[in-house]
């Protein structure tokens, strides 16, 4: 089964998710620079989520590049990932409109956690359709960065009971962690040809 | 006539349909977890429709993979399918905002039925442009699963006069039925090379 | 210059245009079948515009298939066509919300006329980058159907001063005229190989 | 690393940006031609921004065509460009709803400046992954047009303190400047093969 349409469909969904988030930046009624001030938390949330979707697109791009074939299970693992990511605009808007509130920060973390687990399952499903010791499997390795991210999401959710800004800091830390694209695969692909 | 752009355009439309549905999840005014409770029926509807669009994308992907060429009639059969699917966000939102009401459940069923028939016609149009006994024709076979789905949609529409939740159960049953991608085509493609 | 991205970008824009039109079908507040009745004119307009965008996509698909290369001028001629088509959701919604009013019917006709002229210029620009007597040029020929459409749009705009439903009838006639994909190109491509 | 998905994702995002801008053209409540008059500034802003996004798509198309490979840094430089462009619908709407106000004109200029700088960085990142003296590097050359644009954006922002229409004129001048696609690359590609 070819991976072309899986990539095209995922590109489409991710492009839409990343773009409709900007619709939450509601045009202010006033025309002064100061009228943009109430939008700052929404804008900050947009920036963080834009980087997150960008990271997922980058990693998805690297992951699929290392894959040679897919399966029905991979299609659904991918759809499951897109489901979680499709909730990002909703939670971003909720968090942006209630800066400092705990519940949106928790739900934001849960959605990131869901997406993180979904990505992990997609990786596992992809490795499963390749031979043992494939470039893909070697490239992913033990996936320490993936596990650390999941841990930081859980920590972020827990931290919201102390201070919601600590949660936001932890979520941002994961984004920084992944900002550099997945050099594991890039390296392997470079070596392997 | 190449099938590349047919796939690309369909991917685009399906990606947008599946993503704009999430816009119906209106950000709540409050910032408590309990403020999300009224959204639960909308969310459940979103989940069901997401799986439905996912199923259509998966099956479309398998169907077109088995096809070698298309025709003007296939282009319109495909457009017709996309038309019915484009109504899914509307009926999902209507059903989600009126949980337990009969009319939205009926209209949801009618849209699913329309999409199901349109998919059947697309299949027929595709088989029509291939030689007799093609991989595609063999793979589709008698299409028992397709006919059963149409029957279940009709049953679901009828059941709404007894109990709308029975209808929702029947619609969900069809989704479960198709959750596994179309192994008929996958099998044939695997065997045929 | 490759035509791949021109096709991909146009597919994306047309997919979005055709899909966001459905957002004008606002979910009714009531939950009765009769609550859908006020939506009927909007729905009828959606259907007509869906078919129109479908026709443009089909013809664009045929046109580009016959083209072998493009130019900067073609890129802008294409962008110009997309601009007019991007106005279709707006005029569709305006017409749907004011059934029987003259101004929306006129503006709808003007947008169709603009798109029709833009398509004609795109065709001319494409023929211009191909050698004389190319498959593309022969396939387009004298483009009687194209000119007839432009005439019917003008007639439709004029007819609105007598009866707006006559205008709608004329616009629908053009859609029916083009419903069959451009067999000129399909025929030539089939013969030419 | 292949450039196919980078192009596809960018096409998707740009197609959505260019299309959702039309959603700011809110359907008027009245049904007279005169009811469209208040929309004129919004429409003018839409037209300008449509041309801008069209220019970016054209230049992006030319730039990537001259590129043979990409890198993780290029992926992020591209994402950074898309981020600035994703803000165009917001600032276009703000400016269109407050014609003659200074703040929206300044912010519009800042977003154009951000996008212009991001495009410059993308160019630099792309040249960085190609060998010295590549077609790409020669084609870009000293990029006088790029620098002039940045200068005009800054001038436009400054001019808003005198007269906002002077700013709009300067922004429009940049659009006119780029309307012709990047003939530098087209020329080189034509010569180089």
């Amino acid at each position: 089964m070819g991976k072309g349409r899986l990539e095209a469909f995922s590109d489409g969904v991710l492009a839409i998710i990343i773009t409709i988030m900007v619709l939450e930046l509601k045009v202010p009624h006033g025309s002064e620079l100061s009228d943009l001030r109430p939008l700052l938390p929404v804008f900050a949330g947009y920036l963080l989520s834009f980087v997150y979707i960008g990271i997922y697109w980058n990693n998805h791009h690297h992951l699929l590049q290392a894959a040679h074939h897919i399966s029905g299970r991979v299609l659904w693992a991918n759809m499951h990932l897109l489901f979680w990511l499709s909730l990002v605009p909703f939670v971003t808007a909720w968090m942006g409109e209630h800066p400092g509130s705990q519940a949106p920060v928790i739900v934001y973390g849960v959605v990131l956690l869901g997406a993180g687990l979904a990505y992990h399952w997609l990786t596992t499903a992809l490795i499963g359709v390749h031979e043992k010791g494939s470039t893909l499997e070697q490239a992913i390795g033990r996936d320490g960065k993936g596990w650390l991210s999941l841990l930081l999401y859980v920590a972020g959710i827990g931290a919201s009971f102390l201070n919601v800004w600590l949660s936001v800091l932890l979520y941002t830390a994961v984004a920084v962690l992944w900002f550099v694209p997945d050099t594991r695969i890039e390296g392997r692909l470079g070596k392997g040809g």
Side-chain angles (χ1 to χ4, degrees), chain A residues 2-160:
Chain A
K3 64 182 179 175
R5 276 193 78 183
L6 178 73
E7 292 181 326
F9 182 72
S10 307
D11 280 349
V13 171
L14 293 175
I16 299 158
I17 291 172
I18 216 168
T19 320
I20 61 174
M21 274 194 298
V22 87
L23 295 178
E24 289 304 327
L25 280 177
K26 300 271 161 50
V27 177
H29 289 294
S31 62
E32 300 298 316
L33 273 183
S34 59
D35 291 315
L36 295 181
R37 208 171 299 154
L39 288 176
L40 276 185
V42 183
F43 183 78
Y46 173 54
L47 188 61
L48 180 60
S49 295
F50 190 96
V51 171
Y52 257 115
I53 302 292
I55 287 166
Y56 270 103
W57 181 78
N58 270 8
N59 288 344
H60 194 270
H61 177 273
H62 282 85
L63 186 66
L64 265 293
Q65 199 148 26
H68 298 113
H69 36 269
I70 58 171
S71 70
R73 200 172 143 235
V74 168
L75 291 189
W76 278 110
N78 190 63
M79 205 64 91
H80 178 240
L81 170 62
L82 295 179
F83 179 75
W84 283 102
L85 292 177
S86 80
L87 298 175
V88 168
F90 170 79
V91 291
T92 301
W94 198 31
M95 197 168 70
E97 288 178 17
H98 300 281
S101 294
Q102 192 192 359
V105 165
I106 290 178
V107 176
Y108 192 83
V110 168
V111 167
L112 291 181
L113 187 62
L117 283 168
Y119 189 79
H120 180 73
W121 288 331
L122 174 60
T123 306
T124 311
L126 267 170
I127 290 175
V129 292
H130 287 75
E131 71 284 8
K132 223 180 133 47
S134 63
T135 310
L136 183 72
E137 193 175 355
Q138 290 177 49
I140 299 295
R142 290 189 318 158
D143 194 19
K145 217 155 131 185
W147 289 110
L148 179 56
S149 306
L150 299 179
L151 203 74
L152 286 171
Y153 294 142
V154 174
I157 294 166
S160 73

